[in-house]
Amino acid sequence: AAGGAMAAQALKPKDPGVAGWKKHTTPEGQDYYHNALTGVTQWEVPPELKGTPAGASGPPGCNLFVFHIPNAWDDDILYQHFSSFGTIMSAKIQRDPTTGRPRGFGFVSYETAEAASEAINAMNGFPADGKFLNVQLKKGDDMNSMPSLQQIGNMGVPTGGRFQPY
């Protein structure tokens, strides 16, 4: 029993995953995966993690910035609160690199803009551990902030001479 306890202490979690999955390493250096939501442990990389690097983002209009996240939350809790709106590509709470403590904000990325929009409508102002979540499109990801084709066509184009736009 003492050896088992020591082996459990030697297991080091790595990169928080998606949908409750976390990568761990045995004392011998072999990676395995455990899902905190389902209790499943396996050697193979779960399908939810394949092709989904930590911090993966979705297409424009699908990436959310979430502020006022309670310190008690981890990536899995963030995922759980946002998973009912659509397929999540990534849910990550930002942490201080020195202390590992949460910084109070994070990002959630969906496969579709519709899912992201539903999440904003439902979760912005959501009460969580004495705070209210602030949920919005990630800065620079707002499709309305992208220049229109007319603006692009007129950028830096000299007027006059043979360079006139069509």
Side-chain angles (χ1 to χ4, degrees), residues 96-117:
D96 181 287
T98 306
T99 65
R101 296 177 67 195
R103 296 178 63 197
F105 70 93
F107 300 93
V108 177
S109 296
Y110 287 95
E111 282 189 348
T112 67
E114 293 79 17
S117 179

Side-chain angles (χ1 to χ4, degrees), residues 2-12 27 32:
M6 184 168 344
Q9 286 179 338
L11 298 178
K12 297 179 184 124
Y32 70 97

Side-chain angles (χ1 to χ4, degrees), residues 3-28:
M6 184 168 344
Q9 286 179 338
L11 298 178
K12 297 179 184 124
K14 291 184 181 178
D15 310 24
V18 176
W21 288 104
K22 289 190 181 180
K23 184 177 180 180
H24 299 270
T25 303
T26 66
E28 295 79 28

Side-chain angles (χ1 to χ4, degrees), residues 7 12 45 54 56-57 89 95 105 125 132-133 136 139 159 166:
K12 297 179 184 124
V45 176
S57 62
M89 296 178 69
R95 297 189 170 278
F105 70 93
F132 295 92
L133 297 182
Q136 54 191 288
K139 193 172 188 175
T159 56
Y166 296 103

Side-chain angles (χ1 to χ4, degrees), residues 15-24 32-49 74-77 79-80:
D15 310 24
V18 176
W21 288 104
K22 289 190 181 180
K23 184 177 180 180
H24 299 270
Y32 70 97
Y33 301 85
H34 175 74
N35 189 311
L37 302 177
T38 64
V40 172
T41 301
Q42 63 187 44
W43 296 110
E44 301 82 28
V45 176
E48 293 92 338
L49 296 182
D74 61 12
D75 294 349
D76 292 334
I77 294 172
Y79 179 93
Q80 290 171 12

Side-chain angles (χ1 to χ4, degrees), residues 51-112:
T52 309
S57 62
C62 299
N63 304 297
L64 305 182
F65 173 71
V66 183
F67 192 64
H68 296 298
I69 296 173
N71 288 337
W73 284 23
D74 61 12
D75 294 349
D76 292 334
I77 294 172
L78 181 65
Y79 179 93
Q80 290 171 12
H81 277 83
F82 283 81
S83 63
S84 65
F85 307 105
T87 302
I88 292 178
M89 296 178 69
S90 175
K92 183 94 174 129
I93 294 175
Q94 298 302 299
R95 297 189 170 278
D96 181 287
T98 306
T99 65
R101 296 177 67 195
R103 296 178 63 197
F105 70 93
F107 300 93
V108 177
S109 296
Y110 287 95
E111 282 189 348
T112 67

